């Protein structure tokens, strides 16, 4: 059940990109409040560009992003940071920084310039580390951790921020399969227990279909399909979005769509054909 105060994040007529190049054009998209949405698509289709605009890292070239009906560019930065958290694709921490120190940085949006650290801040940090299973690592340097542990710590920092919306850009990149499952299980648990609206850019189609409440398929800067994974991830959509011929069958464990590439089904780009 969607929490009554779940945030509503949406893009209206959005164009985004870089000087001289528009990656996204006239995109309309509303994210289901209190649910977990996965964004998939081929490389350079606009997934990360979209996430950066949703997170207010980059400004839109046209259109707007709304949070509960308000244009996010009109919101004070501190207030926005109290509502929306971002885990970028390649986060880095200063050498020697401990887990507890990194997670504590998530409290910055909730503290004034001269405000002292409070017992409430400590409680939030402890709670974030407990929920992500990293409390026992509190005094360890972040650089000494495994890839899966580091991702849990970064997610803990985002949780300490108390975001109503959590955006994650490829949080399983470079992780082995067991750690990918570990991270996605954690995100689903956080979504189900806290009602946080979670939006994830993910590369692996079958994991996206398994964990998503809603799936967004992007192709060449636009939304090709959006909805429940079973409705969205079809053979035709996979062919159009990824230029890949594949069987799409129900997963025997979860009944979610399972994409099985057909040998020889990957099409070479036109200039290489």
């Amino acid at each position: 059940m969607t929490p009554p105060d779940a945030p509503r994040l949406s893009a209206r007529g959005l164009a985004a990109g870089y000087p001289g190049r528009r990656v996204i054009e006239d995109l309309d998209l509303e994210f289901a409040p209190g649910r977990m949405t996965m964004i998939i698509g081929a490389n350079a289709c606009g997934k990360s560009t979209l996430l950066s605009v949703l997170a207010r890292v980059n400004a839109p070239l046209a259109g707007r992003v709304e949070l509960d009906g308000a244009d996010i560019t009109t919101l004070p930065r501190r207030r926005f940071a109290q509502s929306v958290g971002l885990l970028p694709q390649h986060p880095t921490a200063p050498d020697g920084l401990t887990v507890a120190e990194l997670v504590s940085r998530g409290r910055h949006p909730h503290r004034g310039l001269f405000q002292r650290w409070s017992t409430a801040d400590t409680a939030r940090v402890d709670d974030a580390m407990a929920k992500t299973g990293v409390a026992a690592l509190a005094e360890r340097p972040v650089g000494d951790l495994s890839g899966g542990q580091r991702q849990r710590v970064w997610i803990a920092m985002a949780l300490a921020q108390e975001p109503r919306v959590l955006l994650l850009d490829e949080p399983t990149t470079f992780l082995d399969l067991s750690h990918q499952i570990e991270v996605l299980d954690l995100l689903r648990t956080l979504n189900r227990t806290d009602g946080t609206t979670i939006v994830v850019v993910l590369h692996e189609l079958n994991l996206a279909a398994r964990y998503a409440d809603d799936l967004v398929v992007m192709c060449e800067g636009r939304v090709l399909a959006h909805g429940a994974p079973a409705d969205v991830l079809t053979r035709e959509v996979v062919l159009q979005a990824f230029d890949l011929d594949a069987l799409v069958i129900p997963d025997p464990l979860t009944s979610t769509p399972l994409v099985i590439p057909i040998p020889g089904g990957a099409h070479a780009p036109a200039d290489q054909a």
Side-chain angles (χ1 to χ4, degrees), residues 36 183-193 210-211:
M36 193 146 113
V183 168
L184 293 171
D185 279 342
L186 170 62
L187 293 175
R188 182 162 61 183
T189 297
L190 294 172
N191 170 257
R192 299 298 190 258
T193 56
R210 176 174 287 193
Y211 283 89

Side-chain angles (χ1 to χ4, degrees), residues 112-148:
L113 186 60
F114 301 106
Q115 185 175 343
R116 292 186 177 183
W117 188 263
S118 69
T119 55
D121 291 322
T122 298
R124 292 298 184 186
V125 169
D126 289 346
D127 182 61
M129 290 195 294
K131 283 179 176 176
T132 52
V134 299
L137 306 174
E139 301 308 317
R140 293 268 304 275
V142 176
D144 290 352
L145 305 181
S146 70

Side-chain angles (χ1 to χ4, degrees), residues 1 5 40 60 66 79 89 103 117 154 184 188 207 212 221-222 230 255:
M1 181 181 295
D5 61 343
I40 61 173
E66 296 179 354
R79 179 182 162 194
Q89 192 172 50
V103 177
W117 188 263
W154 284 106
L184 293 171
R188 182 162 61 183
L207 290 179
R222 63 188 179 88
S255 297

Side-chain angles (χ1 to χ4, degrees), residues 36-124:
M36 193 146 113
T37 298
M38 300 281 187
I39 304 175
I40 61 173
N43 289 340
C45 72
K47 304 184 300 295
S48 294
T49 299
L50 173 60
L51 210 71
S52 72
V53 176
L54 295 176
R56 218 167 92 165
V57 173
N58 293 321
L61 301 177
R64 54 194 267 163
V65 174
E66 296 179 354
L67 181 64
D68 291 333
D71 186 335
I72 64 171
T73 62
T74 68
L75 300 175
R77 285 195 171 274
R78 184 177 172 190
R79 179 182 162 194
F80 180 76
Q82 290 171 352
S83 296
V84 178
L86 170 68
L87 180 58
Q89 192 172 50
H90 303 295
T92 58
D95 290 342
L97 197 72
T98 68
V99 168
E101 290 169 340
L102 179 61
V103 177
S104 295
R105 294 189 174 195
R107 297 303 301 159
H108 287 178
H110 296 274
R111 304 176 64 240
L113 186 60
F114 301 106
Q115 185 175 343
R116 292 186 177 183
W117 188 263
S118 69
T119 55
D121 291 322
T122 298
R124 292 298 184 186

